[in-house]
Coordinates of all heavy atoms in Angstrom, one line a residue:
T1 N -8.1 15.3 6.1 CA -9.3 16.1 6.3 C -10.5 15.2 5.9 O -11.7 15.6 6.2 CB -9.4 17.4 5.5 OG1 -9.1 17.1 4.1 CG2 -8.3 18.3 6.0
E2 N -10.3 14.1 5.3 CA -11.4 13.2 4.9 C -11.0 11.8 5.2 O -9.9 11.5 5.4 CB -11.7 13.4 3.4 CG -10.6 12.9 2.5 CD -11.0 13.0 1.0 OE1 -11.9 13.7 0.7 OE2 -10.3 12.3 0.2
G3 N -12.0 10.9 5.2 CA -11.8 9.5 5.4 C -11.0 8.9 4.3 O -11.2 9.1 3.1
T4 N -9.9 8.2 4.7 CA -9.1 7.6 3.7 C -9.7 6.2 3.3 O -10.0 5.4 4.2 CB -7.7 7.4 4.3 OG1 -7.1 8.7 4.6 CG2 -6.7 6.7 3.2
I5 N -9.8 6.0 2.0 CA -10.4 4.7 1.5 C -9.2 3.8 1.3 O -8.5 3.9 0.3 CB -11.2 5.0 0.2 CG1 -12.2 6.1 0.4 CG2 -11.9 3.7 -0.2 CD1 -12.9 6.5 -0.9
L6 N -9.1 2.8 2.2 CA -7.9 2.0 2.2 C -7.7 1.2 0.9 O -6.6 0.9 0.4 CB -7.9 1.0 3.4 CG -7.8 1.7 4.7 CD1 -7.9 0.7 5.8 CD2 -6.6 2.6 4.9
E7 N -8.9 0.8 0.2 CA -8.8 0.0 -1.0 C -8.3 0.8 -2.2 O -7.9 0.3 -3.2 CB -10.1 -0.6 -1.3 CG -11.3 0.4 -1.5 CD -12.1 0.5 -0.2 OE1 -11.5 0.4 0.9 OE2 -13.2 0.8 -0.3
R8 N -8.2 2.2 -2.0 CA -7.7 3.0 -3.1 C -6.2 3.1 -3.0 O -5.5 3.7 -4.0 CB -8.3 4.4 -3.0 CG -9.8 4.4 -3.4 CD -10.3 5.8 -3.4 NE -9.6 6.6 -4.5 CZ -9.9 7.9 -4.6 NH1 -10.7 8.6 -3.9 NH2 -9.2 8.6 -5.6
I9 N -5.6 2.7 -1.9 CA -4.1 2.8 -1.8 C -3.3 1.8 -2.5 O -2.3 2.2 -3.2 CB -3.7 2.8 -0.3 CG1 -4.4 4.1 0.4 CG2 -2.2 2.8 -0.1 CD1 -4.1 4.2 1.9
P10 N -3.6 0.5 -2.5 CA -2.8 -0.5 -3.2 C -2.4 -0.2 -4.6 O -1.3 -0.3 -5.0 CB -3.6 -1.8 -3.1 CG -4.4 -1.6 -1.8 CD -4.7 -0.2 -1.8
P11 N -3.4 0.2 -5.5 CA -2.9 0.5 -6.9 C -2.0 1.7 -7.0 O -1.1 1.7 -7.8 CB -4.3 0.8 -7.6 CG -5.3 1.1 -6.6 CD -4.8 0.3 -5.4
R12 N -2.1 2.6 -6.1 CA -1.2 3.8 -6.0 C 0.2 3.3 -5.5 O 1.2 3.9 -6.0 CB -1.8 4.9 -5.2 CG -3.1 5.5 -5.7 CD -3.8 6.4 -4.7 NE -5.0 6.9 -5.2 CZ -5.2 8.2 -5.5 NH1 -4.2 9.0 -5.4 NH2 -6.4 8.6 -5.9
I13 N 0.2 2.4 -4.6 CA 1.5 1.9 -4.1 C 2.2 1.2 -5.3 O 3.4 1.4 -5.4 CB 1.2 0.9 -3.0 CG1 0.8 1.6 -1.7 CG2 2.5 0.0 -2.7 CD1 0.5 0.7 -0.5
R14 N 1.5 0.5 -6.1 CA 2.2 -0.2 -7.3 C 2.8 0.8 -8.2 O 3.9 0.6 -8.8 CB 1.1 -1.0 -8.1 CG 0.6 -2.2 -7.3 CD -0.6 -2.8 -8.1 NE -0.1 -3.3 -9.4 CZ -1.0 -3.6 -10.4 NH1 -2.3 -3.5 -10.2 NH2 -0.5 -4.0 -11.5
I15 N 2.2 2.0 -8.3 CA 2.8 3.0 -9.2 C 4.0 3.7 -8.6 O 5.0 3.9 -9.2 CB 1.7 4.1 -9.5 CG1 0.5 3.5 -10.3 CG2 2.3 5.3 -10.3 CD1 -0.7 4.3 -10.4
R16 N 3.9 4.0 -7.3 CA 5.0 4.7 -6.6 C 6.1 3.9 -6.1 O 7.3 4.3 -6.0 CB 4.4 5.5 -5.4 CG 5.4 6.4 -4.7 CD 4.7 7.1 -3.5 NE 5.7 7.8 -2.7 CZ 5.9 9.1 -2.8 NH1 5.2 9.9 -3.6 NH2 6.8 9.7 -2.0
K17 N 5.9 2.6 -5.8 CA 6.8 1.8 -5.0 C 8.2 1.7 -5.6 O 9.2 1.9 -4.9 CB 6.3 0.4 -4.8 CG 7.1 -0.4 -3.8 CD 6.4 -1.7 -3.4 CE 7.2 -2.5 -2.4 NZ 6.5 -3.8 -2.0
D18 N 8.3 1.5 -6.9 CA 9.6 1.4 -7.6 C 9.9 2.6 -8.4 O 10.9 2.6 -9.2 CB 9.6 0.1 -8.5 CG 9.5 -1.2 -7.6 OD1 10.2 -1.2 -6.6 OD2 8.8 -2.1 -8.1
A19 N 9.2 3.7 -8.2 CA 9.4 4.9 -9.0 C 10.6 5.6 -8.4 O 10.7 5.8 -7.2 CB 8.2 5.7 -9.0
P20 N 11.5 6.1 -9.3 CA 12.6 6.9 -8.8 C 12.3 8.4 -8.5 O 13.0 9.1 -7.8 CB 13.6 6.9 -9.9 CG 12.8 6.7 -11.2 CD 11.6 5.9 -10.7
L21 N 11.1 8.8 -8.9 CA 10.7 10.2 -8.8 C 9.3 10.3 -8.2 O 8.5 9.3 -8.3 CB 10.7 11.0 -10.1 CG 12.0 11.1 -10.8 CD1 11.7 11.8 -12.2 CD2 12.9 12.0 -10.0
E22 N 9.0 11.4 -7.5 CA 7.6 11.7 -7.2 C 7.2 13.0 -7.9 O 8.0 13.9 -8.1 CB 7.4 11.9 -5.7 CG 8.2 13.0 -5.0 CD 7.8 13.2 -3.6 OE1 6.9 12.5 -3.1 OE2 8.4 14.1 -2.9
L23 N 6.0 13.0 -8.4 CA 5.4 14.2 -9.0 C 4.2 14.6 -8.2 O 3.2 13.9 -8.2 CB 5.0 13.9 -10.4 CG 6.1 13.6 -11.5 CD1 6.5 12.1 -11.3 CD2 5.5 13.8 -12.9
P24 N 4.2 15.7 -7.4 CA 3.1 15.9 -6.5 C 2.0 16.7 -7.2 O 2.2 17.6 -8.0 CB 3.7 16.8 -5.4 CG 4.8 17.5 -6.2 CD 5.3 16.6 -7.2
H25 N 0.7 16.3 -6.9 CA -0.4 17.1 -7.1 C -1.1 17.5 -5.8 O -2.2 17.9 -5.8 CB -1.4 16.5 -8.1 CG -2.2 15.3 -7.5 ND1 -1.8 14.0 -7.8 CD2 -3.2 15.2 -6.7 CE1 -2.6 13.2 -7.2 NE2 -3.5 13.9 -6.5
I26 N -0.4 17.2 -4.7 CA -0.9 17.4 -3.4 C -0.9 18.8 -2.9 O 0.1 19.5 -3.0 CB 0.0 16.5 -2.4 CG1 0.0 15.1 -2.8 CG2 -0.5 16.7 -0.9 CD1 1.0 14.2 -2.0

């Protein structure tokens, strides 16, 4: 619903990429 700021994705990828779990606040 809003413009996605691509530069905000890489640090989040680092957090999620090797994580065995997801915890949603979505």
